[in-house]
Amino acid sequence: MNSDRMFELARALAEAKSRQDVPAALKVLHGDMVLENPAFGTTARGLAENEKVLSRFFASFPDYNVVLQGHAANDDTLVCWGRVQMTMTGDRFGVVPTGRRADLPVFIQFAFKDDRIVHERFLFDLAELCAQSGVSTDAVRRRIFGDAGVRQLAAE
């Protein structure tokens, strides 16, 4: 697949996600889609699981917006970078949201199969999201990763 087509698919996904349009996002994803979000410790496999994870994500961040500012590609991988803006809501992360909107750098790695996105690795700084959102990073990490994740970070 050429880099123009890869970026076209990535842009379509970014636009769908920025509208919180799960059906439109699913249209550009391959049936074997794997979505990794290391900051939240999640990996979703297949369209049904991706639909569930995206719906849950948009419930937590209903104003999610991503702007792709640049990209680079080789024969089978595309990496995009840009900014993501989002406001934490609800109680999913074990903290009381403040309503403050975060604006973070984001890096997204994509792989492709059969003219669809088959893998996405979505990278951003959880500590910065928490700081800008006005919530405790330790409390959020504890909710996501348990006490062991917070102890490991303290040891480092």
Side-chain angles (χ1 to χ4, degrees), residues 47-68:
L47 291 179
E49 198 171 319
N50 271 273
E51 180 177 20
K52 180 181 172 183
V53 166
L54 287 174
S55 295
R56 184 176 178 201
F57 180 82
F58 296 141
S60 298
F61 301 99
D63 64 347
Y64 172 87
N65 183 62
V66 63
V67 177
L68 303 179

Side-chain angles (χ1 to χ4, degrees), residues 12-13 16-17 19 21-29 47 54 58:
L13 181 60
K17 286 182 177 182
R19 295 188 312 268
D21 186 345
V22 175
L26 294 174
K27 286 182 182 178
V28 299
L29 303 181
L47 291 179
L54 287 174
F58 296 141

Side-chain angles (χ1 to χ4, degrees), residues 21 30 63 71 74 80 93-94 96 113 115 123 141 143 149:
D21 186 345
H30 191 276
D63 64 347
H71 67 279
N74 64 16
C80 295
F93 298 104
V96 176
K113 181 178 177 183
D115 200 43
L123 303 163
R141 282 191 175 123
R143 173 60 70 95

Side-chain angles (χ1 to χ4, degrees), residues 3 11 16 25 35 46 52 69 83 100 109 117 139 151-152:
S3 63
R11 187 175 51 238
L35 170 60
K52 180 181 172 183
Q69 297 172 321
R83 306 287 306 175
R100 290 174 33 194
Q109 178 184 355
I117 297 170
R151 282 194 305 272
Q152 175 63 32

